[in-house]
Every structure is written in structure tokens, then in C-alpha cells.
Amino acid sequence: MIGHLISLHLGITRDLREAVCLAAAELQGAYAIVVIEEERPDRIIAARNGAPLLLGLSKNGNYTASDASALLQVTRQMVYLEEGDVAELTSDNYHVINITKNKLGTKVRRVELETDLTREAVELGPYAHFMQKEIFEQPVAIANTLEMVFSAHSLSPRLFGSEAESVFQKTSGILILACGTSYHAGLVAMHWLEAISGLPCSVEIASEYRYREPIANPDTLVVGISQSGETADTLAALKYAKSRGHRYSLAICNVPESALIRQTDLRFLSRAGPEIGVASTKAFTTQLAALMLLAAVFAKLRKTISKKQEQKLIDGLRHLPVAIQLALLIEPQIIEWAKNFSHKRHALFLGRGVHYPIAMEGALKLKEISYIHAEAYAAGELKHGPLALVDKEMPVVAIAPNDSLQEKLKSNLQEVRARGGELYVIADADSSIQESKGVHIIRLAEHAGMFSPILHTIPLQLLAYHVALQKGADVDKPRNLAKAVTVE
Ligand code: AGP
């Protein structure tokens, strides 16, 4: 369609750049287009609106791509195009115009910058898959994300931007908007924010929020969570929240040059490094680290924690990379579990409280890369319906840390066993849950307290990875899915 439209204009103007500008001006919605004319293969015209597109510059030629990681083999010198930009590239030159105000474009200057990304960061190295690499990179990814906290020895709002302190002082509630795995991170954060800082918090799926008529409180800070920072629904939901009256917004994002980072008043960059596997892993746990930090900063500001508790939180954050490293040691046991899942068609994931979103994340991981139908339930909901599904063919994964809900969870697990369901329990080191017929247990190396959702994620990521591997699925590029969902 777009090709025909450009060719129609080309028939009149005879100039490819003009034809792309005129065609782009007629397009509605998000696009990133790259066009080459048969007669002039030495020239590329690239245009973007709502979808990411950048230029890569080098002595040996100029390039264009939707993501910097695609160009690291050839250059680290990048130009990020903005909404309505049209770029013309030859091997030794480029220029950019913008068509927002003038259909044929007005010349603009865009900053050339050297990306922090390195070639190694996007290479597999000794790993078989990017997902495996990214799971095992989590200790370093978390350490990098929290580096500023470790060096500062205190929780400062400035970690979220220079304006953050004055915005946070006025904040009376939090609204989190996100999709998929990032939405799960938001749900965990809701528990933390309310419990630690006493701030009311709600979490919404961005694609739903943007189409309803929510009542906005201007002092409720809108937090957009996104690994890519290019998810169309999240970007649109944040804009919509502003139009409904929310005064301030904050991005928790992993890509510094993304649209989300440019769109919000405040920002926190998780420093997970490029995540290439479609299934999000290190981006999720670094989002959680960032969100725990946000809860802790609000708690300090609102004086809901003492100096001693603040120090305990910082110590806990500092210990996280080591704790994750230890959690990764359970891989051999997970490989054994995976053998019992690879031939199954369905699986149930159970959790309670702050671990219910972790069960949701475990189910999402399993379904997206192994194509096994997986559902997550808040364990207390079992008896309201899903128990009917449980029989000996149904593996049931339970996230069972030593928290205040453990006794309740134990009786939910008995309900499963009584129907013949096979239980796969992820428990803390000192858990009172015992292995028995039909009850398999993996114990994490440590009892992680309030950081437990982060640690309990690791076995679920490994489980999804090894089940998919045993099924021979394309772990990094699951069918029908894209890494960044830049369309509605
Ligand atoms: C996670 O494994 C998914 N591939 C997907 O749910 C993802 O988290 C979602 O599309 C949101 O992406 P974002 O974090 O880049 O906004």
C-alpha cells in the first residue's frame, strides 16, 4: 500500500524524497519506512512517526535500522530520528527534514551521539540463546541498575530526575500503566508502594486504560513501565493520562533514547543492557529493582521508614546481585522439572499477594516460548472455578515463599493434591513445606524477605527456557511475537 502511494507521488514529483514526504503526510498511525529507488540504489530515504528509526554513521557508509543493536557490527555513531522526520542517506552524507509543519519538509539538525552499547552486549558469547544469556546476566544487570544507590549510600529522589523531589513531595498516589511483563512488574510495585510508603497505587493494562474514561487526580503520579520504551499502547496511555488531567509522569525504561524517555517529566533508566530475546527476563528483574527503589524513596520522603529501615533496604538492594547468583544455581533441578512439562498441554501457576504477579509472569514466560497453555491464579481463587481443571495431567506450579500468606497457600495446595494435581513448589530455603508423592520442591538458597518476588522469578524463567528447549522451540524468536510492539 505505502509503496503504491509513494510511486503515485513519484510519478508527479519525480523526486523520491519529495514523494516519500507527500506519502507520509497522508499516512495515519505509526510507521517507520525505508525506501530505495531501483534507478538510484546509492540513496536511502527513511521516515518515521510513532515507530523507532535511527541512522548509523560511519566512514565506510551510513545505515538505518529500528534499533541501535542492529548496527553495532558497523558503527556506534547514531542519530535518533524524531516524529515526522524524513532522512536522506548516501554512503558519505545524510540530512534530515521534518514534515510536521510543512508537507515537503523543513531542514532540521539532529544530534549525533555515540551509543553506550557495545558489540559484546549484543553477541551470544558462550551461550546457546539470548534468553539464556539474559537470564544469567541478571546479577550484573541489577548491580548496574542500582550502582548509583550503592555509591550514594542513601535513597535520594534525584535518582528519578532533578525535578523528582518537588514532584514526589506533591504526589498523593501512583497510577502505573504498562503491558505484558512490564505490567506484572507494576503489580508487584503496587504491593511494595502501598506496604512500604503508604501511597495508594493502582495498576492498569495500558491498552485498556487508553480506551476508558478514567477519573484523574492531578497529584497522582503516572508511572509508565516499558523495557523498550516504544510500546505503542503504553505511550498512548501515558499521553491519554496527561490529557485526563494527571500532572506528572515518570518512565521506568531500559532504552535511553526511546520515545517513553522523551515523553515523561521524570525518568529512571534500568541498566539491564540490550535485551534481545523476545521473552523479557533481565528487563523484568531490573524493573523490579527500580520499583523497589521508588517505593523506598517515597517511604523515606513520607517518613514511613526509620533511618535503620532505610539502611536495611539499601543493604538488601546491595545484596541482590549475589542473591540472584545463588538463585541461578538451581538450574540442574529445573532441567529435571522441565522433563515433566515438555509433553503437557496445560499448566497452572499459583501465587498469593505480591507473588501472584510472579505467578502471572511465570505463566506468561511458559506460554510465550513453549506454546504450552499456562494460566496464573491467585491461589485463593482456585475453589471459585479453576479447581475443576485440576487432575493428574495438570502440573501446578506454586510460588510459596515464607510470608504471611504461606499457611493459606498450603491449604490451597492441599486442594490441588486432593484432585491428583502434580505440584511443583518454589519455596524459600527454610520453608516448612515438605517433599512428598506428587509434591516436588525447589528451595531457593536464601530466604529473601521483601525481595522475594525478584528471586522467585528466576526459577520460572529457567523453567520456561528449559521446557521450550526440550520442545525444540525457537526460544529467542517465538512465533507471532515481536520484541517491541510498536503497533496497537
Ligand atoms: C514479555 O516476555 C513480552 N514479550 C511482552 O509481554 C512485553 O513485556 C510487552 O510487550 C511490553 O513490552 P515493553 O516492556 O517493551 O513495553
Side-chain angles (χ1 to χ4, degrees):
M1 270 295 279
I2 297 177
H4 288 301
L5 188 61
I6 294 170
S7 135
L8 203 74
H9 284 291
L10 193 57
I12 303 162
T13 76
R14 301 266 153 228
D15 177 68
L16 183 64
R17 196 192 74 197
E18 276 187 22
V20 171
C21 289
L22 292 169
E26 285 176 42
L27 296 178
Q28 284 184 4
Y31 59 79
I33 324 167
V34 176
V35 191
I36 302 178
E37 209 176 358
E38 219 170 16
E39 294 78 51
R40 278 209 56 191
D42 59 330
R43 182 175 71 152
I44 296 174
I45 310 293
R48 76 154 278 188
N49 195 50
L53 198 63
L54 52 92
L55 313 180
L57 313 176
S58 88
K59 282 195 202 101
N60 304 322
N62 295 325
Y63 307 82
T64 181
S66 60
D67 196 279
S69 55
L71 297 181
L72 291 175
Q73 303 277 357
V74 285
T75 184
R76 293 179 62 209
Q77 205 65 27
M78 309 287 169
V79 173
Y80 288 85
L81 297 181
E82 295 185 11
E83 305 299 12
D85 278 358
V86 176
E88 182 169 353
L89 292 110
T90 56
S91 60
D92 56 1
N93 204 358
Y94 81 94
H95 60 265
V96 184
I97 57 171
N98 189 280
I99 59 164
T100 314
K101 291 194 183 126
N102 169 4
K103 268 192 198 174
L104 285 175
T106 317
K107 202 160 184 192
V108 284
R109 274 188 69 80
R110 298 290 176 236
V111 190
E112 291 177 12
L113 47 89
E114 192 171 319
T115 175
D116 287 343
L117 299 178
T118 59
R119 239 171 108 166
E120 300 74 62
V122 293
E123 278 170 359
L124 262 180
Y127 295 97
H129 300 96
F130 282 105
M131 183 179 178
Q132 184 192 29
K133 177 179 185 239
E134 288 153 12
I135 290 174
F136 282 88
E137 276 174 351
Q138 288 177 106
V140 175
I142 298 245
N144 289 343
T145 298
L146 296 174
E147 193 189 321
M148 292 204 306
V149 190
F150 301 159
S151 47
H153 300 289
S154 90
L155 301 166
S156 160
R158 288 184 68 84
L159 293 164
F160 296 87
S162 52
E163 307 293 309
E165 179 145 17
S166 71
V167 173
F168 287 4
Q169 295 283 11
K170 290 176 235 152
T171 298
S172 62
I174 305 273
L175 165 66
I176 296 178
L177 301 171
C179 303
T181 287
S182 299
Y183 168 70
H184 298 155
L187 291 173
V188 173
M190 175 184 78
H191 286 267
W192 284 340
L193 278 157
E194 294 195 342
I196 303 171
S197 70
L199 263 182
C201 177
S202 57
V203 191
E204 297 213 31
I205 295 172
S207 57
E208 285 294 310
Y209 176 85
R210 63 183 286 199
Y211 292 116
R212 62 183 197 84
E213 300 201 6
I215 312 296
N217 171 354
D219 294 329
T220 294
L221 174 69
V222 183
V223 180
I225 309 174
S226 173
Q227 185 283 130
S228 62
E230 301 289 351
T231 302
D233 283 321
T234 306
L235 294 173
L238 258 96
K239 270 194 193 134
Y240 184 55
K242 278 253 161 153
S243 75
R244 298 292 298 183
H246 288 277
R247 207 169 297 152
Y248 296 109
S249 57
L250 160 71
I252 307 278
C253 185
N254 193 39
V255 181
E257 304 81 10
S258 63
L260 184 67
I261 288 286
R262 288 199 294 265
Q263 190 179 310
T264 51
D265 306 295
L266 307 173
R267 53 204 61 86
F268 183 93
L269 271 174
S270 53
R271 290 169 61 202
E275 192 180 64
I276 292 166
V278 164
S280 190
T281 52
K282 61 177 180 173
F284 179 64
T285 46
T286 51
Q287 282 167 351
L288 290 181
L291 290 160
M292 171 57 96
L293 197 58
L294 184 68
V297 165
F298 269 112
K300 183 178 174 189
L301 221 54
R302 292 162 57 83
K303 301 192 175 40
T304 54
I305 51 169
S306 63
K307 193 82 201 131
K308 207 169 148 197
Q309 285 167 317
E310 178 189 349
Q311 197 47 55
K312 206 173 155 210
L313 267 167
I314 296 174
D315 291 345
L317 290 169
R318 188 174 284 124
H319 180 63
L320 260 181
V322 176
I324 293 177
Q325 195 72 58
L326 291 172
L328 286 164
L329 297 177
I330 48 124
E331 190 181 25
Q333 289 161 271
I334 291 285
I335 294 174
E336 287 306 306
W337 277 18
K339 291 178 189 156
N340 301 342
F341 280 73
S342 49
H343 59 281
K344 295 286 181 190
R345 298 193 51 213
H346 308 277
L348 210 54
F349 285 70
L350 301 178
R352 294 198 72 141
V354 69
H355 294 91
Y356 170 42
I358 300 303
M360 293 166 83
E361 177 59 9
L364 176 63
K365 283 295 86 96
L366 188 67
K367 78 181 102 175
E368 82 182 313
I369 59 166
S370 75
Y371 316 136
I372 292 174
H373 167 230
E375 293 255 22
Y377 270 93
E381 274 291 290
L382 259 188
K383 54 188 170 298
H384 299 291
L387 204 51
L389 293 171
V390 175
D391 61 13
K392 61 179 181 7
E393 289 309 314
M394 177 69 89
V396 180
V397 181
I399 325 302
N402 286 4
D403 61 11
S404 57
L405 288 164
Q406 196 188 48
E407 286 309 311
K408 302 268 174 218
L409 182 73
K410 275 188 187 167
S411 37
N412 302 140
L413 300 188
Q414 273 160 16
E415 290 161 7
V416 171
R417 269 313 288 148
R419 273 84 188 170
E422 195 93 347
L423 276 170
Y424 294 84
V425 183
I426 299 163
D428 281 337
D430 47 354
S431 176
S432 59
I433 304 176
Q434 295 303 325
E435 184 123 6
S436 60
K437 188 173 176 321
V439 183
H440 313 270
I441 299 190
I442 283 182
R443 291 174 197 279
L444 293 180
E446 298 186 340
H447 177 188
M450 72 173 88
F451 297 99
S452 155
I454 302 181
L455 295 189
H456 277 260
T457 302
I458 309 295
L460 301 177
Q461 296 171 339
L462 288 169
L463 181 65
Y465 174 72
H466 283 290
V467 173
L469 209 60
Q470 289 183 21
K471 290 189 74 173
D474 187 344
V475 176
D476 287 333
K477 292 196 198 96
R479 67 186 180 206
N480 309 339
L481 299 176
K483 182 65 189 162
V485 188
T486 55
V487 290
E488 235 193 288

